[in-house]
Amino acid sequence: QLKSEVSEVKVQNSSLQQEIESAKESNSQLESNISSLQTENNQLKSEVSEVKVQNSSLQQEIVIVKKSNSQLESNISSFQNENDQLQADKDTLKKKVLELEKENSGLDDKYSSLSVQFMSIENDFCKVNKDQESLVQEMQRLKEEIKSLNLENKELEEKYYQALEENNEVKTGNNQ
């Protein structure tokens, strides 16, 4: 009877030893997976940290650009006011020239000189308008660049949270 029981216990021990070996192999694989995930997490943390630094730098640049844009808008408004005043001055000068022409035909030379001044003023208008268009285009380009950076940041955040979720799932599986 005892021999039979000893034999049965030995069989059970052998089975348990196999289960232990299998569990050890499984644990070893899980530890390897955890180590790999920790390495990946550390890499992701490093990348996220890098992105945060970049974001901080970009936010500072955005603040600077916004201030610059605000100043440019103020300058544009100021130029527009100057343009309006110059246009009014130009109109007034044209009227005066016509009056002077009627009063004295000998003022042709003076009129020619004023015409040259008008052309110069018109050239100034054209230049200011071109500068204004260029500033508007630059503002639009900066807006597009900011939008693109925001999209990249959003994608990186999604990758980060996805990696965290996967890591949590692995940890939960290990705990079970």
Side-chain angles (χ1 to χ4, degrees), residues 89-103 107 111 114:
D89 292 347
K90 181 180 169 184
D91 293 342
T92 303
L93 286 170
K94 276 185 177 177
K95 285 178 185 175
K96 285 183 180 177
V97 167
L98 288 171
E99 288 171 8
L100 289 170
E101 273 187 334
K102 288 176 185 176
E103 289 175 14
L107 294 175
Y111 176 74
L114 286 170

Side-chain angles (χ1 to χ4, degrees), residues 9-23:
V9 167
K10 282 182 179 179
V11 169
Q12 287 176 351
N13 279 356
S14 176
S15 175
L16 286 169
Q17 284 288 343
Q18 287 175 354
E19 282 182 37
I20 288 166
E21 288 302 316
S22 175

Side-chain angles (χ1 to χ4, degrees), residues 4-95:
S4 172
E5 284 178 20
V6 167
S7 178
E8 196 176 316
V9 167
K10 282 182 179 179
V11 169
Q12 287 176 351
N13 279 356
S14 176
S15 175
L16 286 169
Q17 284 288 343
Q18 287 175 354
E19 282 182 37
I20 288 166
E21 288 302 316
S22 175
K24 281 181 181 177
E25 285 177 19
S26 177
N27 281 353
S28 176
Q29 183 59 45
L30 285 169
E31 282 171 2
S32 173
N33 290 349
I34 287 166
S35 176
S36 174
L37 280 169
Q38 282 174 338
T39 301
E40 193 177 335
N41 272 358
N42 288 339
Q43 178 63 31
L44 284 169
K45 282 177 184 174
S46 173
E47 286 177 23
V48 167
S49 179
E50 207 174 304
V51 168
K52 282 181 180 175
V53 169
Q54 288 174 353
N55 280 354
S56 177
S57 175
L58 286 171
Q59 283 169 351
Q60 288 173 356
E61 284 181 38
I62 287 164
V63 168
I64 291 166
V65 168
K66 280 181 178 175
K67 284 181 183 174
S68 176
N69 283 353
S70 177
Q71 184 59 49
L72 288 171
E73 284 170 0
S74 174
N75 290 349
I76 288 166
S77 177
S78 176
F79 285 141
Q80 191 62 51
N81 290 337
E82 285 180 36
N83 285 353
D84 292 344
Q85 185 57 52
L86 287 169
Q87 186 63 48
D89 292 347
K90 181 180 169 184
D91 293 342
T92 303
L93 286 170
K94 276 185 177 177
K95 285 178 185 175

